[in-house]
Amino acid sequence: MKDRLTDALYGLGWSTVKKLPEPVADRLGRTIADSVWKRRGKGVLRLESNLARVVPDATPERLAELSKAGMRSYLRYWMESFRLPSWSRERVKNGFDVKDVHHLTDGLAAGKGVILALPHLGNWDLAGAWVTTKLETPFTTVAERLKPETLYDRFVAYRESLGMEVLPHTGGSAFGTLARRLRAGGLVCLVSDRDLSASGVEVKFFGDTARMPAGPAMLAQQTGALLLPVTLWYDDSPVMKGRVHPPIDVPETGTKAEKTSVMTQALADAFATGIADHPEDWHMLQRLWVADLEPRSETDAPKERS
């Protein structure tokens, strides 16, 4: 029953919110965000706990302000995502302003393949739609299998409608497919700031240990593709902002594991820069740092978007 209700609510969002005028959708998102924030549920409390690491000198009042802004940013993501399939090509092209995009376009022009790695900042679906529309470049990504299966199917259909090739995270074949796309000179985009699996690489992140996925660094090593961190943020305008950071090079010496560790740490450092500059736009409502993990499955917050 819970799964069916979840699927129905998302279906209602995609069918109804996209029909609303943009100012109405914006107000609705802020109203929902403020209501959720006032209830002080586990997701909001976890967000504040995470933000306390990002802004360690923040007072309780400042953390409350940041978490309220964070929930508004998170709901802006959802309102935009529900509406994205109905946006015109011009609206998509004008909805994102990115700095240093030459790192991406030069890498693609070189024909060596490019990996874009992003944290849960801003709206990466909008950034992806901009890439397929403005740059006219298709790309491949990976999505976590959600329950119920019908909800996962909705997400896949939604992202495919934006021009993305979506692979399931489970099943073991995703890595090989991503490697083939990169060797052919293609583009791969991966959300890469959280990995609680046994294969996660430990990094120092805002002064403590967290785990991030090894995939981006391993793909770069195996295929010769360019690895580029990307950070996103919102301001007071309708246009999302972003930056493509300089490439993360493969170290010349060390074992594969050592190289992966060094590259993943460099990725974490780039993410930390963007998150520190715009903490309210980091939508991390789940446990992340190793010290915060409990010896049980994650149940303290809804599934993260992937």
Side-chain angles (χ1 to χ4, degrees):
M1 178 64 71
K2 181 181 178 182
D3 286 349
R4 289 199 296 271
L5 178 60
T6 299
D7 182 49
L9 288 174
Y10 279 102
L12 181 66
W14 268 299
S15 63
T16 303
V17 174
K18 70 180 181 181
K19 299 176 183 178
L20 298 175
E22 194 158 338
V24 175
D26 290 344
R27 287 196 299 271
L28 176 62
R30 288 195 298 272
T31 299
I32 295 172
D34 291 351
S35 176
V36 172
W37 179 79
K38 287 178 182 177
R39 289 204 297 269
R40 310 292 292 163
K42 290 182 178 180
V44 173
L45 296 177
R46 174 52 52 191
L47 176 61
E48 283 190 10
S49 176
N50 291 337
L51 289 171
R53 292 181 181 271
V54 174
V55 191
D57 59 346
T59 64
E61 292 77 15
R62 175 58 177 153
L63 283 176
E65 291 174 358
L66 281 173
S67 68
K68 184 175 183 179
M71 292 308 298
R72 287 188 171 190
S73 176
Y74 188 43
L75 264 293
R76 175 172 172 174
Y77 159 79
W78 281 111
M79 292 297 112
E80 286 180 346
S81 295
F82 288 144
R83 293 174 52 77
L84 260 177
S86 66
W87 282 14
S88 68
R89 290 179 61 85
E90 287 305 308
R91 178 69 179 88
V92 173
K93 290 179 181 179
N94 295 328
F96 182 41
D97 180 22
V98 57
K99 299 178 181 179
D100 299 327
V101 72
H102 66 90
H103 292 304
L104 169 58
T105 53
D106 291 350
L108 291 172
K112 60 189 301 184
V114 176
I115 306 158
L116 297 181
L118 308 89
H120 285 81
L121 270 172
N123 187 343
W124 89 275
D125 287 321
L126 172 55
W130 183 87
V131 167
T132 60
T133 304
K134 177 74 173 182
L135 302 185
E136 298 183 339
T137 301
F139 65 87
T140 304
T141 188
V142 174
E144 180 183 1
R145 281 201 175 276
L146 302 172
K147 292 183 179 181
E149 190 74 14
T150 50
L151 179 57
Y152 171 77
D153 292 340
R154 285 185 190 275
F155 271 95
V156 170
Y158 156 63
R159 284 170 175 157
E160 287 179 343
S161 75
L162 301 178
M164 311 176 192
E165 179 188 22
V166 183
L167 307 176
H169 187 269
T170 56
S173 62
F175 188 91
T177 302
L178 295 174
R180 287 193 294 274
R181 299 292 183 269
L182 292 168
R183 290 191 181 102
L187 176 62
V188 164
C189 300
L190 301 170
V191 179
S192 307
D193 58 345
R194 183 173 183 263
D195 187 345
L196 304 183
S197 71
S199 62
V201 178
E202 290 195 351
V203 297
K204 286 297 180 183
F205 195 54
F206 291 102
D208 210 341
T209 302
R211 294 194 191 103
M212 295 189 180
M218 292 177 64
L219 283 167
Q221 291 177 63
Q222 291 195 20
T223 67
L226 204 64
L227 176 56
L228 299 174
V230 178
T231 53
L232 310 171
W233 66 92
Y234 292 125
D235 56 18
D236 293 331
S237 77
V239 180
M240 185 176 69
K241 305 301 190 295
R243 171 176 285 108
V244 181
H245 295 253
I248 294 175
D249 296 327
V250 177
E252 295 182 0
T253 60
T255 65
K256 181 181 293 186
E258 289 169 343
K259 291 178 181 179
T260 299
S261 178
V262 170
M263 295 174 72
T264 306
Q265 182 63 63
L267 203 58
D269 293 343
F271 291 167
T273 298
I275 293 167
D277 287 342
H278 305 279
E280 68 279 4
D281 292 321
W282 189 40
H283 306 151
M284 186 55 67
L285 279 69
Q286 296 81 24
R287 300 176 190 272
L288 175 69
W289 281 272
V290 172
D292 294 336
L293 301 180
E294 297 179 2
R296 59 176 175 78
S297 61
E298 176 93 8
T299 58
D300 68 332
K303 278 285 189 181
E304 67 185 274
R305 59 188 173 90
S306 60

